[in-house]
């Protein structure tokens, strides 16, 4: 019965895929064929997403009808029958979208209903981010597009679906810390697997073939030394504008390593008070070295060796210090980009706040690996500047006194919006980030 009720949806998808196949658009054809499979997830958001795709499909039929009719009129050929057939298909597609709204369907697809809108939002936001790249950037950036031109659209569909599913997982407060670490580590693994494949001779896995060191400090030092290569700084600043310092808790390919290193110890230790001056000094040294190397005309081989040495010291910091303290010392003390993310991130209005009902029990301190919730911070009712909006502390306060905040939004909404944005950026980075 369910299949019969959903038959119009399946038929509409098949008509659309046949249309795209006829005009040679492989990506949209694959999306049309795969879209009804979303129904297998039994989620409310999948109904919303399918409705949007079917509405887009109906618009495509209307546009196609108008174009065909214009051509026939121009060649003085009969067009009425064609217009009726294509118009009927457009109306059928529209009705299929409407059927998904039926009460019966809404009842059937009710799992995790409370997360339906955010998940649909993550699907749409991820799709828009990647569609802009697919349309605007001349170089094919998505992996499937590199292997089979046109299939980038199918990859966008897959990544958007991934974003919707992960949003659902991340919105459950008890699961957020675990899922944040999982997806962060997954991103880092995908990033470095592509680098290894690229170095092994599969060039499609590299961005352009112009290699640079996968060390966050190079985001700033690289362009200062080379005098070019602003892609990574622009990407970094864009994420900071959208989600503040959350680059350092969700998006950085190296930060995931520090998170794994520190995670071995159950309770993080407080870091020494000199951590901030040391971090500032390291940042100044990195910036000054890059500028001096450029002015003196030092060869790129020596610059690369210096960069590599800096990266290896960072790994040693993770292995020796982060593992021992359970705090992310590499990110909080050593990495210059972490400092910039913390400072620049304050431009963005997302914050973590401790409300006035807090009893100063200090339990939340044990969930913060960024050394941002010491007792003095708790008493001030706001985390230290090293807070990366990771959200781990929210669940640790059983009374819910720690919240996300954003001007004009209630705490719950602020958290939802934040998660939709960060998961969408994460999914987009999965598709785009490579060396
Ligand atoms: S501090 Fe540096 S290594 Fe750590 S997450 Fe931020 S940019 Fe990455
Ligand atoms: S204060 Fe909370 S949100 Fe901020 S870094 Fe620490 S655990 Fe994460």
């Amino acid at each position: 019965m369910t299949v019969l009720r959903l038959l119009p949806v399946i038929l509409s998808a098949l008509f659309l895929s046949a249309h795209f196949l006829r005009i040679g658009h492989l990506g949209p054809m694959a999306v049309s064929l795969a879209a009804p499979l979303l129904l297998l997830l039994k989620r409310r958001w999948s109904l919303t997403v399918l409705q949007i795709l079917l509405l887009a499909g109906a618009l495509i039929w209307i546009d196609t009808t108008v174009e065909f009719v214009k051509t026939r009129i121009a060649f003085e050929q009969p067009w009425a029958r064609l217009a009726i057939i294509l118009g009927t298909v457009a109306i059928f597609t529209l009705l299929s979208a409407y059927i998904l709204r039926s009460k019966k369907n809404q009842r059937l697809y009710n799992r995790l209903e409370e997360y339906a809108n955010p998940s649909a939002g993550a699907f749409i936001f991820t799709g828009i981010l990647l569609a802009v790249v697919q349309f605007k950037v001349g170089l094919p950036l998505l992996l499937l597009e590199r292997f089979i031109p046109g299939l980038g659209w199918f990859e966008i569909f897959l990544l958007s679906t991934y974003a919707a599913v992960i949003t659902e997982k991340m919105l459950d407060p008890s699961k957020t810390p675990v899922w944040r670490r999982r997806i962060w580590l997954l991103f880092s693994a995908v990033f470095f697997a592509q680098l290894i494949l690229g170095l092994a001779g599969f060039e499609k896995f590299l961005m352009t073939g112009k290699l640079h060191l996968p060390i966050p400090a190079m985001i700033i030092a690289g362009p200062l030394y080379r005098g070019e290569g602003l892609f990574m700084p622009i990407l970094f600043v864009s994420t900071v504008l959208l989600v503040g310092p959350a680059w350092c808790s969700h998006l950085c390919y190296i930060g995931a390593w520090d998170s794994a290193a520190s995670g071995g110890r159950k309770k993080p230790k407080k870091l020494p008070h000199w951590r901030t001056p040391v971090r500032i000094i390291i940042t100044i040294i990195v910036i000054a070295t890059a500028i001096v190397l450029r002015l003196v005309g030092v060869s790129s081989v020596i610059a690369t060796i210096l960069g590599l040495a800096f990266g290896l010291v960072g790994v040693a910091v993770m292995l020796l210090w982060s593992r021992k303290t359970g705090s992310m010392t590499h990110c909080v003390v050593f990495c210059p980009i972490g400092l910039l993310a913390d400072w620049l991130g304050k431009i963005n209005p997302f914050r973590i706040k401790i409300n006035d009902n807090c009893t100063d029990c200090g339990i939340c301190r044990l969930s913060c690996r960024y050394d941002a919730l010491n007792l003095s911070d708790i008493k001030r009712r706001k985390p230290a500047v090293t807070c990366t909006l990771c959200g781990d502390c929210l669940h640790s306060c059983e009374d819910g006194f720690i919240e996300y905040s954003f001007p004009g939004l209630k705490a719950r909404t602020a958290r939802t919006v934040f998660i939709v944005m960060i998961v969408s950026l994460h999914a987009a980075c999965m598709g785009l980030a490579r060396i």
Side-chain angles (χ1 to χ4, degrees):
M1 279 309 283
T2 307
V3 173
L4 271 186
R5 208 177 36 255
L6 295 174
L7 197 58
V9 175
I10 296 166
L11 283 177
S12 295
L14 285 176
F15 291 154
L16 274 166
S17 63
H19 168 65
F20 286 124
L21 179 65
R22 198 183 69 80
I23 58 176
H25 289 182
L26 286 186
M29 182 204 78
V31 172
S32 306
L33 278 179
L37 296 177
L38 289 178
L39 294 170
L40 297 177
L41 297 173
K42 295 265 177 202
R43 298 291 200 269
R44 178 65 61 81
W45 66 261
S46 59
L47 290 190
T48 311
V49 165
L50 256 182
Q51 274 183 301
I52 293 170
L53 292 177
L54 286 169
L55 286 177
L59 288 178
I60 288 169
W61 281 122
I62 292 168
D63 183 57
T64 308
T65 310
V66 171
E67 285 307 312
F68 276 1
V69 167
K70 271 192 199 162
T71 312
R72 292 238 168 157
I73 290 174
F75 286 96
E76 296 182 354
Q77 289 175 341
W79 52 268
R81 204 168 62 157
L82 176 101
I84 290 170
I85 293 171
L86 290 183
T88 307
V89 176
I91 292 168
F92 184 75
T93 311
L94 263 180
L95 286 175
S96 310
Y98 186 72
I99 283 172
L100 290 172
R101 290 177 62 85
S102 73
K103 283 206 175 112
K104 181 99 185 185
N105 277 332
Q106 303 279 321
R107 263 203 311 277
L108 267 175
Y109 292 81
N110 62 359
R111 274 165 69 186
L112 298 175
E113 201 178 331
E114 68 273 30
Y115 302 149
N117 289 340
S119 284
F123 185 102
I124 294 164
F125 190 35
T126 307
I128 291 173
L129 286 174
L130 292 171
V132 169
V133 173
Q134 176 85 341
F135 270 129
K136 290 283 175 197
V137 181
L139 185 78
L141 288 188
L142 290 157
L143 210 51
L144 285 185
E145 185 73 27
R146 290 177 166 209
F147 283 98
I148 304 173
L151 271 199
W153 292 106
F154 186 54
E155 185 173 343
I156 292 176
F157 171 78
L158 293 178
L159 286 167
S160 302
T161 304
Y162 167 77
V165 172
I166 295 298
T167 298
E168 210 173 70
K169 308 276 182 208
M170 292 277 285
L171 279 172
D172 180 342
S174 64
K175 293 185 184 157
T176 313
V178 172
W179 276 98
R180 181 181 69 81
R181 281 190 189 84
R182 278 186 192 160
I183 63 169
W184 199 13
L185 216 50
L186 174 69
F187 165 64
S188 185
V190 168
F191 181 86
F192 282 102
Q194 293 193 81
L195 176 60
I196 292 166
L197 286 169
L199 293 177
F202 302 97
E203 284 178 10
K204 286 201 167 78
F205 289 93
L206 299 176
M207 181 65 97
T208 59
K210 271 193 195 172
L211 289 178
H212 59 89
L213 292 171
I215 299 168
M218 298 308 131
I219 293 174
I220 178 167
L224 284 174
Y225 167 70
R226 292 192 301 269
E228 58 164 25
L230 290 177
F231 177 76
M232 278 310 288
I234 290 172
L235 181 69
F236 169 68
V237 172
S238 312
T239 64
V240 164
L241 289 176
L242 284 171
V243 287
W247 166 279
C248 291
S249 52
H250 295 79
L251 301 175
C252 170
Y253 38 84
I254 290 287
W257 298 12
D258 203 25
S259 167
S262 63
R265 197 176 195 281
K266 226 173 177 186
K267 296 179 184 171
K269 279 189 185 167
K270 184 177 176 345
L271 293 178
H273 65 277
W274 43 260
R275 65 165 163 76
T276 305
V278 167
R279 201 183 194 197
I280 294 172
I281 291 168
I282 293 174
T283 305
I284 292 171
I285 291 175
V286 166
I287 292 173
T289 308
I291 294 171
V292 170
L293 290 183
R294 180 167 183 208
L295 293 178
V296 176
V298 168
S299 73
S300 59
V301 176
I302 295 181
T304 305
I305 291 172
L306 286 173
L308 205 54
F310 184 82
L312 289 175
V313 174
V315 174
V317 170
M318 293 179 205
L319 293 177
L320 299 177
W321 202 3
S322 295
R323 274 178 41 161
K324 203 171 128 202
T325 58
S327 286
M328 294 178 60
T329 44
H330 172 273
C331 296
V332 178
V333 184
F334 185 72
C335 178
I337 291 298
L339 180 74
L340 296 181
D342 287 347
W343 286 358
L344 288 177
K346 298 298 173 271
I347 300 170
N348 180 286
F350 276 115
R351 295 280 184 279
I352 292 288
K353 283 208 173 131
I354 305 167
N355 71 36
D356 288 332
N357 298 323
C358 168
T359 56
D360 298 327
C361 74
I363 286 179
C364 57
R365 208 188 75 71
L366 302 178
S367 60
C368 183
R369 299 196 182 265
Y370 291 87
D371 202 32
L373 276 183
N374 290 308
L375 280 179
S376 53
D377 306 311
I378 295 170
K379 282 193 193 313
R380 279 189 305 130
R381 301 287 180 255
K382 65 175 192 182
V385 70
T386 49
C387 171
T388 59
L389 306 175
C390 76
D392 287 5
C393 51
L394 267 69
H395 182 57
S396 69
C397 179
E398 285 182 1
D399 296 309
F401 296 150
I402 309 183
E403 309 161 323
Y404 278 88
S405 79
F406 189 96
L409 295 183
K410 288 191 177 142
R412 194 182 152 90
T413 314
R415 176 173 178 268
T416 303
V417 173
F418 176 81
I419 287 180
V420 167
M421 289 177 73
I422 194 70
V423 171
S424 303
L425 285 171
H426 156 77
C429 286
M430 289 276 279
L432 301 174
R434 59 179 67 90
I435 294 281

